[in-house]
Amino acid sequence: MSDAADVIVVGAGLAGLVATFELSRAGRRVLVVEQENEANLGGQAHWSQGGLLLVNTPEQRRMGIKDSLESALSDWLGSAGFDRDREDHWARAWAEAYLGFAAGVKRDYLRMLGLTLMPNVGWVERGAGTATGAGNSVPRLHITWGAGPEVVRAFRDPVLDAVARGAVNFRHRHRVDEIVVEGGAAVGVRGALLAPSDAPRGAASTRQQIGTFDLRAQAVVVTSGGLGGNLDLVRANWPTDRFGTFPESMLVGVPAHVDGRMLEITARAGGSVVNLDRMWHYPEGLKHHSPTWSRHAVHFLAAPSALWLDPAGRRLPPPLFPGHTAGNTLRHLTMNGHSHSWLIMTQTMVDKEFDLLGSAENPDITGKNCALLLLRAKKSLMKPVHDFLERGEDVVVGRTLPALVAAMNALTPATPLDPARVEHEAATRDLQLRNDYFKDLQLMSLRNLREYKVERLMRTARPHRLLDPAHGPLYGIRLNMFTRKTLGGVQTTLDAQVVRPEGSVVDGLYAAGEAAGFGGGGMHGYHALEGAFLGGCIFSGRVAGRALGRRLA
């Protein structure tokens, strides 16, 4: 295939692969331009644990979960908090369309591509404590057997088959600097040829320019991702009114090439870019002991039983408990001037609840290894968990609480914990466990969580006292804030066509994935329930590919 194409797709992440897959199925010729090398095909999806939000599935019903589109939509809208007339017009429409997809054909679509879902449905973002507020009322996170790499494979393989047929062509190391607009319509892209790179997936690559390119097509689809790898852009869009001062120690949860460049480039082409102040960053990051990129963070799935403290040793207020509402917890910490927090766990808790998110951190799921899967009964035996316990700079151990607090303070001497305060928080929590009932809302939540058998068997330790030596030693885990997703982006119609600020569309210009706020310029609103965000990439990429397939027929 030559450079002649019907459609140019900018970005070879998951949304780009899905759009290309659908376009090739429709018989369209596709040219995919990507600033990174072949090793990065699939983008951030490769690093994910493969979680997919689905509604009212056989997997849920087998677990005794009663779910519905009505319940999911109520949860989504309560979490999104849409409150901007122009900016949220298409975002809300996309939210409703996406939930219809998640409760409808999404599961069959994935199964058609050969994806298998694990039987245990996860429960993330369990809420802020009210039925109308943020959070999932029931478990909805379905884990792909094979994790993120398997999700990527499902779309990569048919796209590579299309490459072999001459229907698709990849142009790696092509950095787009301009969307070419003529007569009000997008007709191509221009940019710089970057020097070849053999950098491994996720690692920084050279930005040396060795030439230029100018490519033309009938339409352009922007699927370049968000801005989470660009701390300058995160800082520039940081909502100080909601989150306070930007924490300069912020870690980074995505590679540096997730740089947000295409957002401004799309705006220069006439597109409306909105809601960039809505971000989905996390307060639960561990510094990677063997980083692939600068400030590399791994997402620690905060343990349900752990005692969560601010840097002074005060327990976080209800309902800011582990696993409940990451956005609200981040806001509480940053608005109080904090850049990290602490978890205190017993060995018993660590064995059951020390969970790391990501494909590399879960070799049992990623490698489809049933023997390794058995180690989930004692997570500290799994190599990735063991490595962080032994080599991670954010983990300290003590036989007694005073010894543990001393080790924690040695790690953060500029912000020492108050030992008396920590002792008080731990002791008063432990007093609650004398009875089978208690006033402590975290313990109430833990009891509710353990009513779900998947969480009881695989995820939560039997409630016990923190200061009981039989469950020791004690672990102190420093949790750092880290960047992840951009919830805003390019505004699009329900056909993924880019919208101008005054409401008309840019002919020939489309956007999908994180670049479009996963659809419409921000279908998640202020809070996300989607877990790994793969579903939004799949849905919006599918919409863009099918819409253009029809239009160019």
Side-chain angles (χ1 to χ4, degrees):
M1 176 181 172
S2 70
D3 284 344
D6 298 315
V7 179
I8 294 171
V9 174
V10 182
L14 180 58
L17 286 177
V18 176
T20 302
F21 166 70
E22 290 291 349
L23 284 162
S24 65
R25 290 179 75 197
R28 308 294 161 248
R29 297 172 301 161
V30 185
L31 183 61
V32 183
V33 294
E34 166 61 52
Q35 69 177 350
E36 299 306 315
N37 63 16
E38 294 88 340
N40 288 279
L41 195 61
Q44 296 176 67
H46 171 89
W47 301 97
S48 82
Q49 197 162 334
L52 293 156
L53 184 142
L54 293 159
V55 177
N56 191 24
T57 63
E59 289 77 17
Q60 286 177 301
R61 291 191 288 274
R62 281 194 289 270
M63 292 293 108
I65 301 165
K66 298 176 182 179
D67 200 7
S68 67
L69 175 58
E70 178 186 24
S71 174
L73 185 58
S74 174
D75 287 346
W76 192 285
L77 295 179
S79 299
F82 295 123
D83 60 2
R84 300 170 178 173
D85 292 339
R86 183 183 73 84
E87 294 89 343
D88 287 339
H89 171 73
W90 288 111
R92 181 176 180 128
W94 269 88
E96 294 175 354
Y98 176 64
L99 267 296
F101 177 65
V105 302
K106 182 178 180 180
R107 183 176 181 275
D108 289 341
Y109 181 68
L110 299 173
R111 287 169 61 85
M112 176 269 291
L113 291 161
L115 293 178
T116 300
L117 301 175
M118 296 182 68
N120 53 308
V121 183
W123 197 355
V124 297
E125 286 297 306
R126 295 192 299 277
T130 64
T132 56
N136 282 302
S137 298
V138 298
R140 294 191 176 105
L141 190 68
H142 296 65
I143 304 299
T144 305
W145 185 233
E150 178 70 359
V151 177
V152 171
R153 180 212 60 77
F155 294 96
R156 180 199 63 213
D157 287 359
V159 166
L160 293 181
D161 288 343
V163 171
R165 298 195 309 269
V168 173
N169 196 2
F170 281 90
R171 289 287 183 264
H172 291 282
R173 305 299 288 159
H174 281 53
R175 188 190 69 199
V176 173
D177 296 326
E178 179 187 358
I179 297 171
V180 181
V181 178
E182 295 177 354
V187 296
V189 295
R190 294 191 185 106
L193 295 173
L194 303 180
S197 170
D198 60 0
R201 180 185 289 273
S205 61
T206 177
R207 288 297 180 261
Q208 178 188 356
Q209 299 180 28
I210 58 173
T212 61
F213 66 88
D214 188 327
L215 302 168
R216 301 301 176 106
Q218 297 181 60
V220 175
V221 185
V222 177
T223 59
S224 53
L227 52 81
N230 185 336
L231 283 179
D232 288 338
L233 275 182
V234 173
R235 187 184 296 107
N237 290 284
W238 186 260
T240 55
D241 58 328
R242 300 197 313 276
F243 285 173
T245 303
F246 177 77
E248 294 298 333
S249 62
M250 180 84 78
L251 300 182
V252 181
V254 293
H257 64 250
V258 186
D259 55 21
R261 292 181 67 256
M262 285 303 301
L263 296 172
E264 173 60 26
I265 292 167
T266 304
R268 291 202 303 265
S272 173
V273 178
V274 297
N275 299 323
L276 293 186
D277 63 307
R278 296 177 182 170
M279 308 175 183
W280 197 245
H281 306 316
Y282 290 97
E284 310 125 323
L286 302 180
K287 293 181 181 177
H288 204 300
H289 52 77
S290 304
T292 300
W293 56 81
S294 177
R295 301 196 186 198
H296 188 166
V298 169
H299 191 179
F300 177 76
L301 187 59
S305 303
L307 185 67
W308 202 345
L309 306 173
D310 71 16
R314 294 182 295 264
R315 193 173 180 185
L316 299 193
L320 306 184
F321 308 131
H324 272 250
T325 171
N328 289 357
T329 303
L330 180 78
R331 181 167 60 250
H332 170 80
L333 291 168
T334 55
M335 288 297 286
N336 283 282
H338 304 313
S339 59
H340 71 275
S341 58
W342 286 99
L343 286 183
I344 294 181
M345 302 175 69
T346 65
Q347 180 69 59
T348 300
M349 293 176 189
V350 165
D351 284 342
K352 203 69 176 282
E353 301 184 8
F354 196 104
D355 260 354
L356 302 171
L357 293 180
S359 57
E361 288 70 39
N362 291 273
D364 52 341
I365 298 173
T366 305
K368 302 181 180 180
N369 189 319
C370 293
L372 279 180
L373 192 64
L374 295 176
L375 292 182
R376 289 193 172 267
K378 191 170 184 180
K379 292 181 174 63
S380 59
L381 296 179
M382 296 180 68
K383 188 177 187 307
V385 170
H386 182 77
D387 284 348
F388 270 90
L389 292 174
E390 293 294 320
R391 301 168 58 192
E393 68 174 84
D394 294 311
V395 180
V396 294
V397 187
R399 283 288 170 186
T400 64
L401 188 62
L404 179 72
V405 174
M408 294 161 76
N409 284 340
L411 195 60
T412 56
T415 54
L417 296 151
D418 177 353
R421 182 75 199 191
V422 176
E423 171 73 31
H424 174 73
E425 297 286 10
T428 52
R429 174 207 179 270
D430 283 0
L431 280 173
Q432 294 287 302
L433 288 165
R434 292 183 171 185
N435 298 293
D436 292 331
Y437 44 88
F438 14 73
K439 70 177 182 180
D440 188 294
L441 284 175
Q442 183 181 356
L443 295 176
M444 291 183 193
S445 172
L446 182 62
R447 171 183 282 177
N448 179 57
L449 187 63
R450 285 176 59 82
E451 286 296 308
Y452 178 41
K453 58 186 175 183
V454 170
E455 295 287 334
R456 184 172 67 252
L457 295 173
M458 300 182 63
R459 174 78 183 117
T460 58
R462 189 182 184 91
H464 59 276
R465 293 185 296 115
L466 276 170
L467 303 182
D468 183 349
H471 293 280
L474 293 167
Y475 288 78
I477 301 163
R478 180 177 59 185
L479 299 181
N480 308 280
M481 297 170 193
F482 70 103
T483 68
R484 184 69 96 188
K485 296 296 181 185
T486 313
L487 297 188
V490 181
Q491 268 194 309
T492 57
T493 69
L494 286 177
D495 278 341
Q497 194 163 11
V498 173
V499 176
R500 297 181 187 275
E502 88 285 352
S504 65
V505 297
V506 182
D507 192 28
L509 188 56
Y510 293 72
E514 191 176 351
F518 302 91
M523 71 175 187
H524 296 279
Y526 288 95
H527 296 86
L529 300 182
E530 177 62 8
F533 296 87
L534 301 179
C537 288
I538 292 169
F539 180 57
S540 58
R542 180 177 184 264
V543 166
R546 292 191 172 194
L548 267 170
R550 293 190 301 269
R551 178 196 160 192
L552 301 179

